Amino acid sequence: MGANEHGVCIGNEAVWGREEVCDEEALLGMDLVRLGLERADTAEKALNVIVDLLEKYGQGGNCSEGRMVFSYHNSFLIADRKEAWILETAGKYWAAEKVQEGVRNISNQLSITTKIDREHPDLRNYAKQKGWWDGKTEFDFAATYSYLDTAKMMLSPGRYCEGYKLLNKHKGNITFETMMEILRDKPSGINMEGEFLTTASMVSILPQDSNLPCIHFFTGTPDPERSVFKPFIFVPNVSQLLDTSSPTFDLEDPVKKKPRFQFKPDRRHPLYQEHQQALEVIDKKEEKAKTMLDNMRKLEKELFKEMESILQNKHLDVDKIVNLFPQCAKDEIRIYKSNISS
């Protein structure tokens, strides 16, 4: 997931279906997110970038650093100040739905059914050739390209259905804090635990008024329930994000050597390391845990108040904003260190 200076945001999920996943090296979903953000200044242009790259280079390859091979197809949620799209893929084939009302989410399944606003030119022909669609019944992308019974899709207990329920519950009154509550929800499976842990979380405010800045909140750490959403605003000469930059290994990086992934380097950035150390301490000490979480929420509330003030007053102190995110990360690290040492 990520955002760019034009207010384009992209989120990405792994999906599987009837089309075989390619284990050969190609573009990963994360590559497509990065390239879409690098090259597009609107949501639809980002969609165009992604589908053009899919056609030219394909998708696939191992997305897991280590000996375990883990490959998948991808779905994307793409938004800017004015519009939003869902893009779902199966190999080089894809369907896109323009979001025009209500709420919409993606998860680890295809979710575009019969409302298809754009599609790969051979999407339907390929499905007919494979025997997945008879060419007579109404074309349903999710039902055709996966094994889903789309009539029961909204009744299943999976993350997609649970996420939609949480969004729908607040429809018409969704704030950035509502979104953070949803991302922190564990019973729904949105906030994942165990081997497939929620690695980091992001919420963006994209005002339709172009005079107002887009504000992007990132945790940069796992488990949003025990993390701080820190604001970032694109301004010229923004300070380097040293505390949330992963170390580089140059030519010694196992991702650059063949055979790849022969060993797994420690890519944790400083904030991630401090966060992990603090959690190990508080997991054993209930009182410390409460103090630390209270301090984290206090920091978060102060930041929220500051961002709301920027949006209400339509005033941006650029000299302060260049250090906004790096300073937030330092304040968060200070909370972790004080709890570890006390």
Side-chain angles (χ1 to χ4, degrees):
M1 60 197 170
N4 70 15
E5 71 274 27
H6 304 292
V8 178
C9 299
I10 309 179
N12 164 230
E13 287 273 9
V15 291
W16 294 268
R18 295 180 197 264
E19 180 69 355
E20 203 171 315
V21 177
C22 171
D23 289 334
E24 297 297 312
E25 286 190 8
L27 291 172
L28 301 175
M30 293 163 276
D31 295 323
L32 294 165
V33 168
R34 176 176 54 80
L35 291 161
L37 292 172
E38 178 190 79
R39 300 177 184 186
D41 58 5
T42 69
E44 190 166 11
K45 282 181 187 174
L47 188 154
N48 292 339
V49 168
I50 291 170
V51 299
D52 287 350
L53 288 166
L54 267 182
E55 187 69 29
K56 191 170 182 181
Y57 300 105
Q59 64 178 320
N62 189 9
C63 71
S64 172
E65 191 166 40
R67 304 285 177 129
M68 180 184 81
V69 176
F70 185 56
S71 305
Y72 48 74
H73 300 306
N74 292 275
S75 69
F76 304 89
L77 197 161
I78 311 171
D80 62 26
R81 292 177 185 266
K82 294 182 177 174
E83 62 182 26
W85 289 83
I86 304 296
L87 169 64
E88 297 184 336
T89 70
K92 71 173 187 175
Y93 302 98
W94 55 273
E97 173 191 338
K98 191 172 183 179
V99 183
Q100 290 171 308
E101 61 179 3
V103 295
R104 192 68 165 81
N105 63 312
I106 60 172
S107 193
N108 302 116
Q109 63 182 64
L110 297 178
S111 62
I112 295 173
T113 55
T114 55
K115 184 186 180 303
I116 301 172
D117 297 298
R118 290 184 55 186
E119 64 187 73
H120 187 285
D122 289 325
L123 181 75
R124 300 182 193 222
N125 279 338
Y126 184 71
K128 276 198 329 198
Q129 285 168 23
K130 286 283 193 177
W132 300 338
W133 179 54
D134 60 11
K136 296 171 188 170
T137 53
E138 185 178 24
F139 184 77
D140 179 322
F141 176 66
T144 304
Y145 274 81
S146 69
Y147 300 97
L148 284 171
D149 179 348
T150 52
K152 296 177 182 173
M153 189 163 71
M154 298 311 297
L155 304 172
S156 71
R159 290 172 74 227
Y160 173 74
C161 184
E162 293 301 315
Y164 181 80
K165 282 182 195 168
L166 288 168
L167 286 168
N168 207 40
K169 180 180 166 186
H170 299 282
K171 189 164 71 173
N173 193 32
I174 294 176
T175 65
F176 66 91
E177 288 179 88
T178 310
M179 290 304 301
M180 290 168 190
E181 280 173 36
I182 290 172
L183 291 177
R184 283 172 166 151
D185 192 88
K186 286 189 174 172
S188 64
I190 302 298
N191 184 5
M192 293 174 73
E193 297 182 280
E195 188 184 356
F196 288 97
L197 178 72
T198 292
T199 315
S201 303
M202 167 184 161
V203 171
S204 291
I205 303 171
L206 307 176
Q208 290 187 308
D209 181 351
S210 60
N211 294 313
L212 295 174
C214 295
I215 302 174
H216 311 282
F217 294 91
F218 300 95
T219 60
T221 52
D223 188 351
E225 193 183 16
R226 302 199 291 183
S227 294
V228 176
F229 279 95
K230 299 167 286 297
F232 178 91
I233 299 173
F234 282 94
V235 289
N237 306 312
V238 69
S239 296
Q240 279 191 291
L241 311 181
L242 299 176
D243 288 319
T244 48
S245 293
S246 294
T248 54
F249 300 90
D250 300 321
L251 296 174
E252 291 305 306
D253 196 319
V255 80
K256 295 177 182 175
K257 288 180 162 186
K258 290 187 177 181
R260 303 199 199 279
F261 311 125
Q262 294 306 293
F263 67 95
K264 189 173 181 179
D266 186 354
R267 297 191 188 277
R268 296 174 304 158
H269 52 65
L271 175 65
Y272 194 114
Q273 291 185 17
E274 295 291 348
H275 176 265
Q276 236 172 2
Q277 279 185 321
L279 290 189
E280 283 168 17
V281 171
I282 67 165
D283 277 341
K284 298 165 191 166
K285 298 180 181 179
E286 200 175 315
E287 199 173 314
K288 267 194 176 184
K290 188 182 183 313
T291 304
M292 189 177 92
L293 287 167
D294 285 349
N295 288 335
M296 289 163 71
R297 291 293 164 267
K298 187 181 172 190
L299 170 62
E300 210 177 53
K301 290 288 179 192
E302 287 167 2
L303 293 168
F304 293 171
K305 203 172 173 183
E306 200 180 325
M307 294 307 104
E308 282 172 336
S309 171
I310 287 170
L311 294 172
Q312 283 166 10
N313 300 326
K314 300 188 178 184
H315 175 69
L316 200 63
D317 182 347
V318 175
D319 291 336
K320 191 177 177 185
I321 295 302
V322 291
N323 290 309
L324 175 64
F325 192 89
Q327 187 57 52
C328 294
K330 286 191 188 320
D331 292 341
E332 187 179 353
I333 287 172
R334 203 172 293 120
I335 291 170
Y336 298 147
K337 284 187 168 173
S338 67
N339 275 274
I340 291 169
S341 58
S342 64

